[in-house]
Amino acid sequence: MDNSFKNSELIDRYLNGLLNEDEQHQFEEQLAQDNELKSELDDQRDVEEGIRLFFEDELKAKLQSTEAEFKDGGQKFLWSRQSFYAIAASIALLIGCYYVFFQSTPNNDKTFYALYKPYPNVVEPVVRLMDNNSNLAMNYYESGDYENAILLLSESLLSDPNNDDYLFYLGQSYMASDNMELAYKTFNKMVTENNKYTAPTLWYLALINFRNGNNQQTKRHLNQLISDHSDYKVRAEGLLETLD
Amino acid sequence: MLKISDESILKQIKSQDDQGVIHLYKSYRNEFILWAKKKFDIGEDQAADVFQDCIITFRSNVISGKLTVLSSSIKTYLFGIGKNLILSKFRKSSKEVYDETMLNFFPSVEPTMEQTIEHNEKQKMIRTWLSNLGEPCYTVLRLFYYEGFSMEAIAAKMGYKNDNVAKTQKLRCINSLKSKLIKASNKENVN
């Protein structure tokens, strides 16, 4: 256990109401005098509350998906009564696979945004990539300047086209900039062989497919995450539930 | 839709089955939306959004043990939460056409502040890290904070020797998130 958090257990018991009356009184007295303890308590409270909210967000995504079913039901009803719309839909289909695939399905958008978060930068500065260009790219990525991250990562890929770090974060940057088509193409270059980003790449591919209403592909990626017992297994099962 | 009893719904929710929660949503969704639209002059999407938060709050109260016995029906309880949420979310923008006496028909359900599900910046960062958290942290934290499992139950589920191992694992995960939070805060202060 990390010694720098020597009060973790005590704080945890305090936050979860597990201290008896005496212990609680003592803790609160200590808290009034010890700023370090107070600051650790605040951080731990934020962490615990953040965790609760995160899992509630996952439930919210499921409920939004259920809500979308209600709306779909309403739309189907209208369509069956108004053949005009059916004809319009047929015309829309002719616009082509490209358009259909890479336009989001509005009903999936809310769920998508509840589940989607850009992947954190896990490339440590000390071992970080390799040249100044790429370091700068990761700094841009970390600060949310995805446009510049895309420029520099694309440049880095010219000299090292199979670099997993470059490809993965380029895909992430496209996705964060809402360019799902290029994010999808970039991630797809990575799934042919195993690497440290295999599981997250499959997860993000599943999310892109889900957002586009491509349920078959979404299920394929999610099932792979589940059968691989990856870190995304529980999340994949949750999203799969909304598709069944 | 097949109506199941309030007791069965509570049982389903306690058994950590999201299907129970989804069934609950489907059971009262239409009625709630009609009621909210009429009484508070809000749109269907806003009403649906509020009802999702009602269900989440209701589930959380059941799992945390704040709600063990229903003194009224689940429907009354849910609409009570809904009333508080709508008033806190839309009071400023609402045209206030509703009749205050009507509101009293549904009891207020405490605590109201918790129902407004606000996220501060730190909590937003934590949520980003959690969305990519590895195992066993993801499952251990989910079991404890979302499913309401005891440490003994987590140990059994995860195949740990005893509840102390589960406790230590949980604290490791919390501390790792705390470290990230402190690192991010320091970085922000430097910038």
Side-chain angles (χ1 to χ4, degrees):
Chain A
M1 179 109 27
D2 189 340
N3 285 329
S4 60
F5 297 124
K6 54 185 187 298
N7 296 307
S8 282
E9 192 181 352
L10 183 64
I11 294 173
D12 186 58
R13 290 177 61 214
Y14 174 73
L15 288 175
N16 290 291
L18 298 172
L19 295 181
N20 65 34
E21 212 174 307
D22 285 346
E23 287 172 328
Q24 185 164 336
H25 184 67
Q26 209 178 331
F27 181 80
E28 282 165 356
E29 269 186 356
Q30 199 184 336
L31 205 57
Q33 297 158 4
D34 187 342
N35 285 339
E36 212 174 300
L37 180 66
K38 166 93 176 50
S39 156
E40 196 179 338
L41 170 69
D42 289 343
D43 285 338
Q44 196 152 326
R45 188 182 274 132
D46 278 331
V47 166
E48 297 201 3
E49 193 52 27
I51 294 169
R52 283 196 184 91
L53 293 173
F54 171 78
F55 289 116
E56 286 182 357
D57 279 355
E58 288 194 339
L59 176 59
K60 177 107 179 173
K62 282 187 191 173
L63 293 173
Q64 283 168 340
S65 199
T66 307
E67 176 61 27
E69 282 171 30
F70 274 91
K71 294 204 168 142
D72 280 350
Q75 278 168 10
K76 275 175 200 155
F77 176 71
L78 280 175
W79 282 34
S80 66
R81 294 185 59 171
Q82 298 178 8
S83 56
F84 170 77
Y85 288 121
I87 296 164
S90 309
I91 294 166
L93 279 173
L94 293 175
I95 294 171
C97 286
Y98 168 86
Y99 181 83
V100 170
F101 187 82
F102 291 108
Q103 293 299 310
S104 63
T105 309
N107 287 337
N108 284 353
D109 269 6
K110 280 187 174 178
T111 310
F112 170 83
Y113 283 111
L115 292 173
Y116 165 67
K117 307 276 183 309
Y119 197 81
N121 173 17
V122 294
V123 186
E124 288 297 329
V126 270
V127 285
R128 197 182 272 173
L129 313 171
M130 326 88 234
D131 58 61
N132 288 336
N133 207 33
S134 321
N135 275 332
L136 196 56
M138 292 312 292
N139 284 340
Y140 280 130
Y141 178 81
E142 214 169 323
S143 64
D145 183 349
Y146 300 114
E147 204 178 318
N148 275 317
I150 290 169
L151 278 176
L152 293 179
L153 286 168
S154 304
E155 211 174 287
S156 298
L157 274 166
L158 291 175
S159 53
D160 189 359
N162 296 318
N163 185 302
D164 293 335
D165 292 318
Y166 298 162
L167 280 170
F168 182 72
Y169 284 100
L170 179 63
Q172 286 294 327
S173 303
Y174 280 131
M175 204 168 166
S177 324
D178 212 25
N179 190 338
M180 296 299 157
E181 184 199 355
L182 287 180
Y184 192 83
K185 282 182 180 166
T186 310
F187 286 141
N188 249 335
K189 288 180 191 164
M190 301 182 65
V191 289
T192 45
E193 46 192 278
N194 273 339
N195 57 61
K196 63 181 170 180
Y197 298 116
T198 299
T201 303
L202 281 170
W203 172 244
Y204 287 103
L205 280 171
L207 285 179
I208 295 173
N209 277 310
F210 171 75
R211 190 180 177 214
N212 293 320
N214 192 349
N215 289 356
Q216 283 304 103
Q217 285 285 78
T218 311
K219 284 182 183 175
R220 191 170 66 82
H221 293 313
L222 294 176
N223 281 323
Q224 193 178 334
L225 285 166
I226 293 165
S227 63
D228 288 350
H229 297 281
S230 77
D231 285 348
Y232 291 81
K233 183 171 179 278
V234 181
R235 274 157 279 195
E237 285 168 344
L239 184 54
L240 201 56
E241 245 177 58
T242 69
L243 293 171
D244 289 335
Chain B
M1 166 159 326
L2 177 71
K3 289 268 182 191
I4 56 173
S5 72
D6 283 2
E7 285 73 23
S8 310
I9 291 175
L10 275 188
K11 212 170 164 185
Q12 265 192 337
I13 290 174
K14 278 182 198 153
S15 69
Q16 291 91 36
D17 184 356
D18 277 349
Q19 286 313 311
V21 180
I22 288 165
H23 186 92
L24 184 62
Y25 185 82
K26 287 179 177 173
S27 300
Y28 295 111
R29 182 255 182 208
N30 288 345
E31 221 175 319
F32 182 88
I33 286 178
L34 279 177
W35 173 77
K37 279 167 71 177
K38 196 174 164 197
K39 293 293 164 216
F40 302 98
D41 195 27
I42 59 174
E44 180 162 344
D45 285 346
Q46 287 173 319
D49 190 56
V50 168
F51 191 53
Q52 287 152 17
D53 290 344
C54 287
I55 296 280
I56 291 169
T57 305
F58 178 77
R59 181 199 172 276
S60 162
N61 287 350
V62 172
I63 295 289
S64 67
K66 275 186 204 160
L67 178 66
T68 47
V69 182
L70 284 167
S71 53
S72 52
S73 69
I74 287 184
K75 180 184 154 185
T76 307
Y77 195 89
L78 281 174
F79 280 46
I81 298 173
K83 180 188 85 174
N84 288 343
L85 274 177
I86 292 171
L87 289 180
S88 62
K89 274 192 180 182
F90 302 117
R91 176 157 257 162
K92 283 176 197 160
S93 59
S94 161
K95 291 174 189 165
E96 306 220 4
V97 292
Y98 46 83
D99 176 359
E100 286 287 340
T101 53
M102 267 306 292
L103 299 180
N104 295 330
F105 178 70
F106 295 110
S108 288
V109 180
E110 295 299 328
T112 53
M113 282 313 287
E114 280 182 23
Q115 292 161 9
T116 54
I117 310 182
E118 285 178 0
H119 306 167
N120 69 28
E121 281 309 309
K122 284 180 177 178
Q123 289 161 4
K124 277 184 194 161
M125 278 195 275
I126 289 156
R127 286 158 67 225
T128 303
W129 298 325
L130 276 163
S131 65
N132 294 291
L133 193 68
E135 294 294 356
C137 283
Y138 181 86
T139 302
V140 168
L141 295 178
R142 186 184 165 89
L143 290 174
F144 185 80
Y145 290 102
Y146 181 72
E147 312 270 9
F149 271 47
S150 66
M151 282 301 159
E152 289 83 357
I154 292 175
K157 176 108 180 167
M158 301 297 289
Y160 297 148
K161 204 172 153 193
N162 54 41
D163 59 325
N164 280 331
V165 180
K167 231 181 270 176
T168 307
Q169 182 57 59
K170 187 195 120 193
L171 280 176
R172 269 199 196 122
C173 303
I174 295 277
N175 285 345
S176 126
L177 290 167
K178 242 161 56 177
S179 297
K180 284 186 180 186
L181 193 62
I182 290 166
K183 208 170 148 189
S185 306
N186 290 342
K187 207 170 174 184
E188 215 165 80
N189 290 339
V190 169
N191 293 335

